[in-house]
Amino acid sequence: MSTEPYEELSSFGSLVRVSNSTAPTSVPPTPTPTSPRKTASSSKSPTRPNPTKKKEALRSSLEKQKDDDSVKEEGVFFWVNKSGFPIDDITWKRMWDHVAKIHPDGYSVVNKIRDNADLDEVPVPQPPLNLPNSMSCQDKLNAVQNYMRELQYNHTGTQFFEIRKNRPISGLMESAREMIRESLPIKCLEAVILGIHLTNGMPGLERFPLSFKTSFSGTVHRHVVLGVCHNGKYGTIGMSRREELMYKPLKFKSLSGLVFDYEDSYNKYLHEVKKVKLGLPVPHDSHSYEQISWKYLSLNCQQLSRTEMNKELEKHAREVRSMMKSATGPLYTGKKTAGHGSNSTNSATMNSNATSQKKEESSVKDKIIVHDKEKMDDGYEDPCNASESKKLDPAYQIRI
């Protein structure tokens, strides 16, 4: 086992091993009199390096590696812009170096673009904001997807917008607004956040993350899209290099039908689907401090048959519909895994939570009715003041 504790990524994406030694392990032997390289000062002891400076250099290297701007998951490598906008010189140079590394023409294509002062002006697409209520939900989703297509897929190898999945929804929506302001190409994870922002407020539309883990030629790939459901029909929006892996219209009558269609699309491109992960519906409140549930249900496609997957997916769909009808607070954010032994405790906990929420809602309604009746018995008839009194009622505030 190697004793070197870390690796540092160079600006060209190659891994550079950094030694952890801070001083020589032993004093070099004194040269013998017959040594041809003997000098007048050779009899003196060699100068030992300053251990304090070595420790500081090691500490700074570790901190640099900790704050590294790269993402590498089982062979899939890309850079992430953490400097914000405008992009700093280091990130900008690193992006072009990476382009030269992955492009067949190397630096020639980089110089051809960077040295050209007469490049065509890139049009800025208009985001589909404030869509009329007369539009159908499918037409609104088409407008959102077309806007993403106009932004184009990011092939540079550098993700321009940093997306941390553990951030609250309010922070992620700020990142979505930044995507609209900058109008730069995006990748699949950025498209999910942008899709959530552009579909906020669409009545009757539920959104949930849908992730895939696939394998192609021994390399593992990960992809995520935004699943949508309206009037019992399922579909997706998102971004990918392949049209079949990003957009699905609202035509699937079941959640399993949507997932199996993605699996067939992956098989078309010789990808083997290993896992499918589904999150819970995302709230429509753009100022919410909740976190997105990215993988509430995890299905191992290599251990489950399609019949078993269909059973798990339809069970999940029923549970989500039940939660959406009964839940008055944040959704349950536990995790379920199928293919490694199904966990029935989560389902029981979720059902008990839904039952307690129903009882609490019923008791709150009774309190509000009694409160209003007492006001009427006391001769209180001003409707404006009655509305204000209900706003001040703690039970009423709990209900809303």
Side-chain angles (χ1 to χ4, degrees):
M1 182 175 180
S2 175
T3 59
E4 299 174 353
Y6 65 95
E7 293 176 340
E8 182 177 338
L9 281 161
S10 69
S11 59
F12 293 92
S14 59
L15 290 172
V16 179
R17 182 74 70 173
V18 181
S19 175
N20 64 344
S21 61
T22 59
T25 56
S26 63
V27 180
T30 305
T32 60
T34 59
S35 175
R37 302 180 61 87
K38 181 179 179 182
T39 60
S41 60
S42 61
S43 59
K44 298 181 181 179
S45 60
T47 304
R48 300 175 67 90
N50 191 340
T52 305
K53 292 183 178 180
K54 285 287 186 178
K55 289 181 180 180
E56 291 177 355
L58 179 61
R59 187 181 298 107
S60 62
S61 299
L62 288 172
E63 291 176 355
K64 180 180 179 182
Q65 190 243 1
K66 181 179 178 181
D67 298 333
D68 187 54
D69 296 348
S70 64
V71 174
K72 186 175 183 180
E73 293 184 354
E74 299 181 48
V76 180
F77 173 84
F78 60 93
W79 293 103
V80 176
N81 170 35
K82 293 187 177 182
S83 63
F85 293 92
I87 299 177
D88 60 18
D89 294 337
I90 297 177
T91 305
W92 187 249
K93 181 180 183 303
R94 187 182 63 196
M95 182 193 74
W96 287 109
D97 290 340
H98 189 67
V99 170
K101 180 182 177 182
I102 63 179
H103 198 278
D105 296 336
Y107 277 99
S108 60
V109 69
V110 173
N111 297 331
K112 182 179 178 181
I113 297 174
R114 301 191 70 179
D115 297 339
N116 190 353
D118 297 328
L119 293 174
D120 296 335
E121 184 177 355
V122 179
V124 178
Q126 295 298 320
L129 301 174
N130 302 321
L131 296 176
N133 295 330
S134 58
M135 289 183 63
S136 65
C137 185
Q138 181 62 73
D139 292 338
K140 292 179 180 179
L141 293 176
N142 290 339
V144 172
Q145 185 63 54
N146 290 334
Y147 173 70
M148 293 183 183
R149 289 193 184 99
E150 292 178 358
L151 289 178
Q152 300 183 12
Y153 187 84
N154 183 0
H155 294 276
T156 64
T158 298
Q159 183 175 303
F160 294 123
F161 305 94
E162 182 185 8
I163 305 298
R164 295 196 299 267
K165 290 184 175 181
N166 58 351
R167 291 188 69 187
I169 294 176
S170 58
L172 294 175
M173 294 304 98
E174 181 57 38
S175 298
R177 287 187 283 268
E178 190 176 34
M179 295 178 206
I180 295 175
R181 287 195 301 267
E182 301 297 336
S183 295
L184 292 173
I186 57 177
K187 297 174 75 70
C188 61
L189 182 58
E190 298 161 298
V192 169
I193 302 304
L194 182 59
I196 292 174
H197 174 67
L198 295 176
T199 56
N200 274 338
M202 290 189 183
L205 181 69
E206 298 300 337
R207 299 85 43 86
F208 57 92
L210 179 59
S211 307
F212 299 91
K213 179 181 178 182
T214 63
S215 176
F216 174 75
S217 298
T219 303
V220 174
H221 299 265
R222 286 177 170 83
H223 182 49
V224 60
V225 293
L226 182 64
V228 291
C229 178
H230 184 262
N231 286 340
K233 299 293 182 67
Y234 291 88
T236 58
I237 58 176
M239 285 295 288
S240 174
R241 296 179 178 87
R242 308 292 184 180
E243 179 70 23
E244 297 92 335
L245 300 179
M246 64 180 185
Y247 175 66
K248 304 286 185 183
L250 287 170
K251 66 177 184 179
F252 298 93
K253 297 181 180 181
S254 63
L255 180 59
S256 58
L258 173 64
V259 173
F260 293 154
D261 187 82
Y262 262 100
E263 190 173 5
D264 294 338
S265 299
Y266 269 114
N267 293 334
K268 177 182 176 181
Y269 295 105
L270 305 180
H271 276 246
E272 181 184 5
V273 181
K274 291 181 172 294
K275 285 187 178 182
V276 178
K277 298 179 181 180
L278 297 93
L280 292 175
V282 181
H284 282 262
D285 183 9
S286 60
H287 303 286
S288 173
Y289 285 96
E290 296 181 43
Q291 294 180 352
I292 296 176
S293 172
W294 294 93
K295 44 185 178 180
Y296 173 74
L297 176 64
S298 179
L299 300 175
N300 192 322
C301 302
Q302 295 181 324
Q303 298 184 5
L304 294 174
S305 64
R306 281 211 165 184
T307 303
E308 294 171 328
M309 286 186 63
N310 178 73
K311 181 179 178 181
E312 292 290 339
L313 289 169
E314 294 310 311
K315 179 181 177 181
H316 172 74
R318 290 193 300 270
E319 291 176 351
V320 169
R321 286 195 296 267
S322 175
M323 283 190 293
M324 296 308 300
K325 290 180 181 179
S326 62
T328 57
L331 290 174
Y332 179 73
T333 56
K335 295 181 181 179
K336 293 172 59 180
T337 302
H340 295 286
S342 180
N343 186 0
S344 61
T345 307
N346 292 328
S347 178
T349 305
M350 185 169 51
N351 292 333
S352 62
N353 290 341
T355 305
S356 61
Q357 287 169 351
K358 285 183 178 180
K359 291 181 179 179
E360 181 181 355
E361 184 178 2
S362 177
S363 62
V364 170
K365 287 182 179 180
D366 295 339
K367 291 179 182 179
I368 295 174
I369 294 174
V370 172
H371 176 77
D372 293 341
K373 184 177 180 181
E374 292 175 352
K375 288 289 185 180
M376 296 302 294
D377 292 341
D378 294 337
Y380 191 79
E381 299 178 355
D382 189 351
C384 296
N385 294 336
S387 177
E388 291 296 325
S389 65
K390 290 172 71 174
K391 292 180 180 180
L392 296 176
D393 182 14
Y396 179 80
Q397 294 186 9
I398 292 175
R399 182 176 178 235
I400 63 175

